[in-house]
Every structure is written in structure tokens, then in C-alpha cells.
């Protein structure tokens, strides 16, 4: 609690109500903001995160306190913290990370959690089955994590897993799902355009126009 209160004090001292109004409008008034832009926000806890990294232990109690805070900057701190501590995250931490992902949901945090989960998958293949299961979840935000968890893997992409996850989400009318499908294919097209062309040719009739447009951007 002491660490959380210290960060909260820093945020309070650096809040900007005018910028907060702009941020809240951009995020469709779903969250409250202090009005601290990303570079300034990260500067406020840069040294703190360095100290946490030296401890080599993820402080889940601290992260829970942060995630519960009504200000969106605290959810961003949680994702920054997890990125910083990535090397110490293991498969058994996935339920905790997904626990955050199930709350205060919007694309800004979800698209950080997918990378965090995805990197765990690079060192523990049990994540593959978890993502396959998640690709069928009723919560489309969790499905989005599954769809995009392999972003930036390049030649380490598990194409069999990617195809199965994408198939599980074809035919959706959810914007954030169709965008994610296109995004995942577009990203992989930079590494293997032929595979992506093959996927598009095979499943085009089942794909949303948005997904096709996104996937075809570089091919």
C-alpha cells in the first residue's frame, strides 16, 4: 500500500485538469484521468520500476491496488510494470494477468496484455492451449488477446495455432474482433506474405471486409 500511495501522490502533484478532459473525451468518457501524458507519466515512476526490477519479484498486491484506482493512469502503470518485469512472469501468472484484463476493459489495456501474455508463450508452450480456449470465450476482449498474442513474433509465429484461433472468430460482427483478425494477419504478412495470401484465399468468404482490408495492407 505504501508504494501505491507514493505513486498516487506523484500523480496528484502532476495532474492537469485540462489535459484530463481531452483524455477522457478520447476514451469516450469510460475512465477518469489525471491528465498526465505518457512520457511525463512514465518519468514519474521510471526509477521506481528500476527498483522493482532489481527485486526480481512481481508485487501483485501493489498491482491490484493500482488497478483498482479509478484513474486510468494507474492501469497504464500496471501494464508498464508487467512489461518491465516480463522476464519474471511465468505461466502460473497468466490467471492474474487475465484477471486484470477482465476488468476496466478497453483496447488500450487489452492490447498491452496480449503482448505480455504472448511473451510468456515464447518460453512456455502451455500458453498455446490457454489462448486456444480463450479464442472461444464469451468475452470478446479476451478473444482479442488470443487473436493478437503472437504479434511481432515473425518467424516464431505458430501458424497452426494462429489459423485455428482466427477460424474460431470468423463471422463476428464485433469491430474489435474483426480489427484484431486483420491486425494479426497484417503483422504476419511482413514475415510470410504467402501464408497470409493463402489464408485470405481460403477464408475470404467468411471474413469481414475490415479484416480483409487490414490483412491486405502490405500484400
Amino acid at each position: 500500500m505504501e508504494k501505491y500511495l507514493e505513486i498516487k501522490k506523484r500523480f496528484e502533484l502532476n495532474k492537469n485538469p485540462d489535459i484530463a478532459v481531452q483524455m477522457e473525451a478520447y476514451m469516450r468518457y469510460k475512465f477518469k484521468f489525471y491528465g498526465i501524458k505518457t512520457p511525463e507519466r512514465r518519468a514519474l515512476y521510471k526509477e521506481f520500476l528500476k527498483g522493482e526490477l532489481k527485486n526480481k519479484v512481481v508485487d501483485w498486491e501493489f498491482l491490484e491496488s493500482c488497478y483498482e484506482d479509478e484513474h486510468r493512469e494507474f492501469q497504464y502503470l500496471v501494464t508498464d510494470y508487467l512489461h518491465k518485469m516480463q522476464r519474471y512472469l511465468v505461466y502460473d501468472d497468466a490467471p492474474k494477468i487475465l484477471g486484470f484484463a477482465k476488468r476496466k476493459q478497453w483496447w488500450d489495456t487489452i492490447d498491452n496484455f496480449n503482448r505480455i501474455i504472448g511473451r510468456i508463450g515464447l518460453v512456455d508452450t502451455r500458453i498455446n492451449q490457454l489462448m486456444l480456449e480463450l479464442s472461444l470465450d464469451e468475452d470478446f476482449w479476451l478473444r482479442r488477446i488470443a487473436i493478437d498474442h503472437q504479434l511481432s513474433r515473425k518467424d516464431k509465429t505458430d501458424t497452426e495455432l494462429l489459423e485455428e484461433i482466427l477460424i474460431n472468430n470468423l463471422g463476428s460482427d464485433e469491430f474489435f474482433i474483426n480489427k484484431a483478425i486483420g491486425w494479426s494477419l497484417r503483422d504476419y504478412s511482413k514475415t510470410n506474405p504467402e501464408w497470409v495470401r493463402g489464408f485470405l484465399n481460403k477464408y475470404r468468404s467468411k471474413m469481414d471486409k475490415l479484416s480483409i482490408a487490414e490483412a491486405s495492407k502490405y500484400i
Side-chain angles (χ1 to χ4, degrees), residues 29 50 54 56 61 82 109 131 143 150 157 202 215:
Y29 301 102
K50 285 184 178 180
K54 290 180 181 179
K56 301 181 180 180
E61 184 177 349
L82 291 172
T109 51
M131 292 296 99
R143 298 204 307 275
Q150 293 196 78
T157 299
K202 188 175 183 180

Side-chain angles (χ1 to χ4, degrees), residues 58 60 63 67 78-79 82-83 85-86 88-103 109-110 112-118 120 127 130-131 134 142 145:
V58 177
W60 294 104
L63 294 179
Y67 214 80
V78 169
T79 59
L82 291 172
H83 280 301
M85 299 293 284
Q86 184 75 55
Y88 302 114
L89 296 175
V90 297
Y91 175 80
D92 288 339
D93 292 324
K96 301 186 189 76
I97 297 167
L98 292 175
F100 292 137
K102 293 175 183 178
R103 294 143 55 194
T109 51
I110 293 298
N112 272 287
F113 290 131
N114 66 34
R115 290 192 289 274
I116 294 164
I117 289 282
I120 297 175
I127 287 291
L130 178 61
M131 292 296 99
L134 219 61
L142 298 185
I145 288 176

Side-chain angles (χ1 to χ4, degrees), residues 148-204:
D148 283 339
H149 83 280
Q150 293 196 78
L151 287 178
S152 301
R153 282 193 184 180
K154 299 182 179 180
D155 58 355
K156 293 181 180 179
T157 299
D158 183 331
T159 53
E160 183 177 344
L161 176 64
L162 176 60
E163 182 170 3
E164 193 166 358
I165 287 174
L166 294 184
I167 290 171
N168 286 345
N169 284 275
L170 296 182
S172 173
D173 59 0
E174 172 53 56
F175 170 85
F176 287 105
I177 289 297
N178 291 325
K179 185 80 169 180
I181 290 171
W183 192 7
S184 65
L185 291 169
R186 182 186 67 190
D187 181 73
Y188 189 52
S189 74
K190 300 173 188 176
T191 299
N192 192 340
E194 288 304 316
W195 188 92
V196 175
R197 287 193 190 97
F199 185 94
L200 289 173
N201 290 335
K202 188 175 183 180
Y203 299 107
R204 186 180 297 271

Side-chain angles (χ1 to χ4, degrees), residues 26-28 30-31 72 103-111 141 176:
Y26 178 69
M27 297 301 286
R28 301 186 184 180
K30 291 181 176 292
F31 311 104
R72 196 60 167 169
R103 294 143 55 194
K104 303 183 180 183
Q105 296 171 308
W106 199 235
W107 61 264
D108 54 342
T109 51
I110 293 298
D111 291 349
W141 288 116
F176 287 105

